[in-house]
């Protein structure tokens, strides 16, 4: 009830805010088998695109002409043409693809197959599976380093970060982290890897060279039991100063100083917040709120929630076309 | 909207050494967990829709082994399960000794309370860790004080408290209790009475189920009479075997909701649980066992996974540190119920949320919001520390 009133108040405040950059936000709706398309200038939903079953992770090609969609229950990765908003074809993905990461070569997708304890590497040009790599139980988070050397996967039940050398496509090291690791992000200089542990309630900062944990961030909110504070999605700003960490059923996004690892603020968003994305100018942050079925729009400059946009059921992943 | 000033605790972790890719290059270390259960001669029940599977419980332990093994590949630990099912006429103590003689000190059991107490008291059990994945009896947790036993199956009091919290929150406080003839039914009814007193509900009437004929053809005639002339909001049925309870809904005199062992059921696990990544666990189990996961399967899975967590985190296969770790504050298990699971030091009970399941939908997950506790709301379910006087 309180949340609703607050959001209404914010909606009123919108008229006074400055003009927003152009662009289009795509949101995958896990329980609607669709993507919501949001105009970033007006912050309105302008289209809904039917896609495969249980869409979760979505990511763009470098030229932003193609969107890759993990259609988990269709056991495929769909390739959508951004211009026509039509599905062009499906890629072999292995069973139950949940999250993926595109290698900087713009060609190889690293896909986490949640039900199979496998990471599948797919060549998007030849549409062939290049490699399948055994990892831990329930692989989830996927990230590729900016220099393209490392692909990492987090396995939710094995509680490990699996390090894959992209030159050989072999698993070469593992780092044990806290319970149920969900998401991994490399810093821009590829020196550190951030990994969120949903049930452990922590974010581990791992040194890429030694593969060892160098810091652990934990969170604290008044009136919310620590067990309910469950870090999932993470976004790092390009200047390396700020990290946004979504806290799942705690319904907040933590704002963290990425240098000192100090938590500076908690922003109230929708219910069960999953993944997030920054606009290219990093002025806005969008969060997918699974249970409330909406997207919160956070103004990065003054760290406030500007608007809530109703999308489909169980929004999960986001991607922005400039 | 904006909250400032709450600084998160920042802690420097003990630096974990990165682990090698696969442990194949070094010798794998064996972690062999024992399984002890007994054949049962179960009396027939009226409803035969859900047969009691032959692999009840042990199928969950097998899945736990497979989950552990996936991690073990990277750590150099090879998990196995030695399954010992005592025959109908056999002696569980002999079975236990047999496992102990073959070197097992970590043993998961699906036994009755009496059998569990027998094996836990054996001299051979002194330096073992036994997981109770089959007996819901509260006495095991509250008065038996079995120091070498941890309970992964929720107790009846936990189930009853979960249901009571939900009903009280809904303001459905007037309960009519119908109790079956089995010992377990009476124990379940006791737990319901305790929960009513604890959370402020009232048991306005109680009736014992007396019919021993096949009610399936006559439920529409007899159940209205049993439930007539009672002023209540909620009918709570205590029929653990599932003998007559399924025939109560829609046959009552008044248009009443039914909960307890049938209708809306509090349970350790149910096929309707799909949040919190549970779909993956359900899928893995279905693939392995060819049927939905049952509460006993979940309890056995949690027991085996507890061992796996301790072996992984401590990076050892030695009994003492594994046993100590599971009982320590550092232990936590991700159990697909939305929060970490730990063991209560005073009773050895695994703390866990309790799903309240309708046949085809999850209705709630207890503890319900608003039932507070000074340490964790999970301890609002079942016997709390001050109610247990055990020197563990």
């Amino acid at each position: 009830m309180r949340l609703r009133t607050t959001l209404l108040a914010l909606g009123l405040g919108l008229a006074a805010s400055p003009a927003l950059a152009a662009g289009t936000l795509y949101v995958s709706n896990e329980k609607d088998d669709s993507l919501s398309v949001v105009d970033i200038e007006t912050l309105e939903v302008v289209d809904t695109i039917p896609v495969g079953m249980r869409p979760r992770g979505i990511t763009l090609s470098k030229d932003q002409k193609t969107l890759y969609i993990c259609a988990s229950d269709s056991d495929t990765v769909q390739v959508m043409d951004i211009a026509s908003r039509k599905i062009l074809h499906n890629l072999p993905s292995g069973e139950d693809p949940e999250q993926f990461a595109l290698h900087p070569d713009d060609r190889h997708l690293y896909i986490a197959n949640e039900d199979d304890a496998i990471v599948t590497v797919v060549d998007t040009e030849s549409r062939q599976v290049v490699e399948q790599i055994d990892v831990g139980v329930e692989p989830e988070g996927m990230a590729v380093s900016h220099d393209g050397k490392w692909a990492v996967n987090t396995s939710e039940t094995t509680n490990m970060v699996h390090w894959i050398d992209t030159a050989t496509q072999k698993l070469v090291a593992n780092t044990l982290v806290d319970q149920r690791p969900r998401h991994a992000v490399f810093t821009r200089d590829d020196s550190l890897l951030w990994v969120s542990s949903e049930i452990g309630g922590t974010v581990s900062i791992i040194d890429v060279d030694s593969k060892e944990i160098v810091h652990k961030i934990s969170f604290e909110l008044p009136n919310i039991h620590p067990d309910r504070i469950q870090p999932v999605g993470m976004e790092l700003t390009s200047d390396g100063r700020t990290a946004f960490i979504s806290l799942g059923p705690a319904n907040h996004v933590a704002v963290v100083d990425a240098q000192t690892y100090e938590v500076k603020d908690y922003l109230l968003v929708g219910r069960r917040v999953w993944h997030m994305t920054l606009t290219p100018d990093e002025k806005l942050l969008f969060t997918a709120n699974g249970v409330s079925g909406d997207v919160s729009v956070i103004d990065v400059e003054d760290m406030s929630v500007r608007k809530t946009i109703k999308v489909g059921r169980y929004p999960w992943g986001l991607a922005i076309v400039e | 909207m904006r909250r400032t000033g709450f600084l998160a605790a920042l802690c420097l972790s003990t630096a974990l050494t990165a682990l090698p890719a696969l442990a194949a290059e070094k010798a794998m270390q064996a972690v062999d967990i024992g399984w002890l259960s007994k054949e049962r001669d179960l009396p027939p029940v009226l409803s035969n829709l859900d047969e009691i599977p032959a692999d009840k419980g042990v199928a969950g332990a097998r899945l736990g082994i497979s989950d552990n093994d996936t991690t073990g590949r990277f750590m150099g630990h090879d998990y196995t399960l030695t399954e010992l099912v005592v025959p109908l006429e056999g002696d569980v103590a002999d079975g236990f000794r047999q496992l102990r003689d073959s070197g097992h000190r970590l043993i998961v059991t699906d036994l009755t309370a009496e059998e569990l107490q027998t094996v836990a008291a054996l001299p051979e059990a002194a330096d073992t860790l036994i997981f109770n994945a089959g007996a819901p009896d509260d006495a095991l947790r509250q008065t038996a004080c079995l120091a070498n036993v941890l309970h992964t199956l929720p107790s009846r009091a936990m189930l009853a408290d979960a249901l009571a919290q939900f009903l009280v929150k809904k303001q459905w406080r007037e309960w009519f209790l119908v109790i079956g003839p089995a010992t377990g039914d009476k124990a379940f009814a006791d737990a319901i009475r305790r929960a009513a007193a604890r959370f402020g509900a009232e048991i306005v009437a109680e009736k014992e189920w007396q019919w021993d004929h096949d009610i399936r053809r006559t439920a529409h005639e007899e159940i209205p009479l049993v439930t007539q002339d009672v002023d209540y909001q909620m009918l709570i049925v205590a029929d653990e075997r599932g003998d007559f309870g399924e025939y109560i809904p829609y046959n009552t005199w008044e248009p009443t909701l039914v909960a307890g062992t049938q209708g809306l059921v509090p349970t350790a696990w149910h096929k309707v649980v799909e949040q919190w990544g549970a779909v993956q666990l359900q899928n893995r189990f279905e693939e392995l066992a060819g049927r939905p996961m049952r509460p006993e399967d979940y309890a056995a899975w949690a027991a085996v996974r507890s061992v796996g967590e301790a072996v992984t985190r401590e990076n050892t296969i030695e009994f003492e540190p594994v046993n100590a770790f599971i009982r320590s504050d550092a232990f936590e298990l991700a159990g697909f119920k939305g929060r970490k699971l730990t063991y209560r030091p005073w009773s050895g009970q695994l703390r866990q949320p309790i799903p309240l399941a309708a046949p085809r939908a999850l209705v709630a997950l207890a503890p319900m919001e608003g039932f507070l506790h000074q340490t964790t709301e999970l301890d609002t379910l079942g016997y709390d520390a001050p109610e247990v006087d055990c020197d563990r």
Side-chain angles (χ1 to χ4, degrees):
Chain A
M1 212 63 219
R2 188 169 134 230
L3 174 70
R4 194 158 294 211
T5 341
T6 322
L7 293 177
L8 272 176
L10 283 165
L12 289 172
L14 183 64
S17 46
L20 297 167
T24 310
L25 170 72
Y26 292 81
V27 185
S28 62
N29 299 312
E30 185 180 341
K31 291 276 182 190
D32 263 356
D33 300 350
S34 68
L35 302 180
S36 293
V37 185
V38 176
D39 181 337
I40 293 177
E41 208 167 353
T42 61
L43 298 179
E44 304 282 349
V45 174
V46 292
D47 197 3
T48 302
I49 308 166
V51 295
M53 283 153 66
R54 204 176 175 203
R56 292 194 276 181
I58 53 175
T59 199
L60 283 161
S61 63
K62 257 190 188 161
D63 61 11
Q64 301 207 324
K65 287 183 176 161
T66 309
L67 182 73
Y68 299 102
I69 306 159
C70 281
S72 301
D73 282 358
S74 301
D75 296 330
T76 190
V77 166
Q78 297 187 302
V79 181
M80 192 185 87
D81 175 40
I82 287 290
S84 64
R85 292 180 184 163
K86 294 268 183 288
I87 304 290
L88 299 176
H89 56 263
N90 293 341
L91 292 173
S93 67
E95 274 183 55
D96 197 20
E98 174 161 9
Q99 260 206 69
F100 50 13
L102 185 62
H103 191 275
D105 67 9
D106 202 25
R107 181 166 171 177
H108 291 96
L109 271 178
Y110 286 77
I111 305 167
N113 298 118
E114 192 170 24
D115 271 1
D116 270 5
I118 280 173
V119 166
T120 299
V121 188
V122 176
D123 181 338
T124 57
E125 281 175 28
S126 68
R127 302 181 198 173
Q128 299 290 318
V129 171
V130 177
E131 190 72 59
Q132 289 201 309
I133 304 150
D134 284 336
V135 292
V137 185
E138 289 171 50
E140 165 102 15
M142 282 293 331
V144 178
S145 59
H146 300 86
D147 62 13
K149 285 185 185 163
W150 293 109
V152 297
N153 162 254
T154 64
S155 54
E156 290 176 331
T157 292
T158 297
N159 302 315
M160 280 182 181
V161 177
H162 304 289
W163 299 79
I164 297 163
D165 180 342
T166 57
T168 61
Q169 310 286 25
K170 293 274 181 285
L171 197 158
V172 295
N174 304 286
T175 308
L176 196 59
V177 293
D178 285 342
Q179 299 284 311
R180 217 170 157 75
R182 288 299 297 258
H183 193 55
V185 184
F186 283 94
T187 54
R188 292 288 158 143
D189 62 2
D190 289 329
S191 65
L192 298 171
L193 178 75
W194 291 49
V195 175
S196 58
S197 288
E198 184 179 27
I199 293 292
T202 57
V203 168
S204 295
I205 315 293
I206 300 170
D207 177 65
V208 171
D209 287 336
S210 67
K211 318 272 185 294
E212 285 174 17
I213 298 173
V214 291
H215 279 288
K216 247 187 226 183
I217 306 171
S218 31
F219 307 89
E220 204 176 302
L221 275 159
N223 303 324
I224 298 180
H225 192 275
D227 284 5
R228 310 285 295 176
I229 300 177
Q230 303 182 349
V232 182
M234 294 183 290
E235 278 284 289
L236 307 180
T237 58
S238 56
D239 61 8
R241 287 176 182 275
T242 309
F244 296 95
I245 298 163
S246 67
L247 301 179
N251 308 336
H252 280 77
V253 171
V255 184
V256 176
D257 184 321
Q259 302 292 322
T260 64
Y261 306 120
E262 181 191 320
V263 182
K264 300 189 319 200
D265 206 350
Y266 293 95
L267 308 172
L268 180 65
V269 292
R271 293 182 60 199
R272 192 115 197 241
V273 52
W274 293 115
H275 289 284
M276 301 179 289
T277 191
L278 283 160
T279 50
D281 62 9
E282 299 188 353
K283 286 187 173 161
L284 293 179
L285 177 77
F286 295 97
T287 74
N289 311 319
V291 169
S292 50
D294 47 31
V295 166
S296 297
V297 186
I298 292 170
D299 188 323
V300 172
E301 211 163 293
D302 64 4
M303 291 294 171
S304 66
V305 179
R306 178 183 280 197
K307 196 188 174 185
T308 302
I309 306 164
K310 184 76 190 153
V311 290
R313 292 194 299 176
Y314 239 71
W316 198 98
L318 313 102
I320 288 177
V321 177
E322 284 177 74
Chain B
M1 173 117 307
R2 194 167 158 179
R3 287 183 165 149
T4 47
F6 306 115
L7 299 184
L10 173 71
C11 55
L12 195 66
S13 79
T14 47
L16 270 168
T17 311
L19 306 157
L22 278 170
E25 58 270 22
K26 60 176 179 177
M28 296 290 275
Q29 294 179 292
V31 185
D32 193 2
I33 300 172
W35 168 266
L36 183 64
S37 63
K38 193 168 188 292
E39 277 180 13
R40 306 276 167 216
D41 188 10
L42 296 169
V45 294
L46 294 181
S47 169
N48 50 11
L49 286 179
D50 299 313
E51 276 182 47
I52 294 181
D55 60 355
K56 174 180 75 89
V58 72
R62 289 176 192 149
L63 181 65
I65 293 287
S66 143
D67 282 3
N68 284 355
D69 254 337
T70 318
T71 311
R73 268 189 325 189
F74 304 115
M75 300 292 299
H77 302 134
D78 180 23
Y79 295 84
T80 44
L81 188 72
T82 299
E83 299 173 17
L84 198 151
V85 182
V86 178
L88 205 51
E89 310 297 331
D91 179 4
V92 288
D94 287 344
F96 189 88
R97 286 193 201 97
Q98 211 176 313
L99 281 172
R100 192 66 191 85
D101 286 347
S102 52
H104 294 88
R105 296 174 74 179
L106 298 160
I107 296 167
V108 185
T109 64
D110 179 11
L111 298 172
T112 65
E114 199 182 332
E115 291 162 351
L116 184 68
Q117 280 183 282
T118 304
V119 300
L122 292 172
E124 292 87 348
D127 51 356
T128 63
L129 176 58
I130 302 168
F131 290 91
N132 166 25
D137 303 68
D138 284 289
L140 289 174
R141 283 90 171 157
Q142 200 208 359
T143 52
C145 302
L146 311 171
N148 51 353
V149 178
L150 295 175
H151 312 272
T152 50
L153 191 72
S155 70
R156 290 191 180 95
M158 290 169 73
L159 302 180
D161 287 349
L163 180 61
Q165 287 188 2
F166 173 76
L167 297 180
V168 165
K169 189 153 194 208
K170 298 288 285 184
Q171 303 278 9
W172 300 340
R173 292 167 185 264
E174 291 162 23
W175 304 349
F176 173 21
L177 188 53
V178 178
I179 310 158
T183 317
D185 301 342
K186 298 192 190 319
F188 187 83
D190 285 342
I192 291 290
R193 290 189 199 100
R194 172 181 172 273
R198 240 177 148 210
F199 296 106
E202 190 190 351
I203 296 182
V204 293
E206 287 190 19
K207 277 191 188 172
E208 297 206 355
W209 187 259
Q210 291 168 338
W211 288 265
D212 53 7
H213 65 274
D214 188 342
I215 192 81
R216 284 177 293 175
R217 308 289 178 262
T218 55
H220 63 287
E221 291 164 4
E222 296 182 17
I223 291 172
L225 301 177
V226 179
T227 56
Q228 202 178 354
D229 298 328
V230 183
D231 191 16
Y232 64 100
Q233 291 175 311
M234 200 71 210
L235 193 148
I236 313 260
V237 57
D239 171 26
E240 289 194 337
R241 292 191 304 138
D243 195 24
F244 61 92
E246 297 293 352
Y247 304 99
I248 292 183
Y250 308 105
N251 284 315
T252 48
W253 183 262
E254 296 284 344
T256 322
L257 290 172
V258 176
T261 51
Q262 282 77 28
L264 180 69
V265 296
T267 178
W269 194 253
H270 196 281
K271 64 183 176 191
V272 299
V273 179
E274 47 83 35
Q275 256 195 85
W276 319 109
V279 174
Q280 275 62 264
L281 182 66
Q282 304 273 30
N283 289 349
R284 284 205 298 280
F285 186 87
E286 280 261 12
E287 200 169 307
L288 181 121
R291 61 175 176 86
M293 193 178 209
R294 295 167 63 110
E296 296 87 352
D297 302 314
Y298 179 81
W301 174 86
V304 172
R305 282 289 299 126
S306 295
V307 173
E309 263 314 295
V311 170
T312 302
R313 297 285 160 185
E314 293 289 89
N315 202 2
T316 178
I317 60 162
E318 298 301 320
F319 173 77
E320 282 81 11
V322 166
N323 184 31
F325 183 83
I326 294 174
R327 296 160 179 274
S328 74
D329 290 342
F331 177 85
E332 54 186 54
L333 182 67
F336 301 94
K337 290 184 175 185
R339 54 211 302 181
K340 62 188 85 159
L341 313 184
T342 54
Y343 289 93
R344 290 176 183 154
W346 58 88
S347 62
Q349 172 67 51
L350 185 68
R351 294 185 176 98
Q352 55 192 299
I354 302 292
L356 294 166
R360 293 183 65 81
L362 181 71
V363 174
L365 189 71
M368 304 301 297
E369 215 181 318
F371 292 88
L372 302 178
H373 190 277
Q374 63 278 17
T375 36
T376 163
E377 295 105 77
L378 289 174
D379 286 344
T380 62
L381 305 175
Y383 284 87
D384 200 0
E387 300 169 288
V388 175
D389 190 21
C390 283
D391 183 24
R392 286 182 70 95

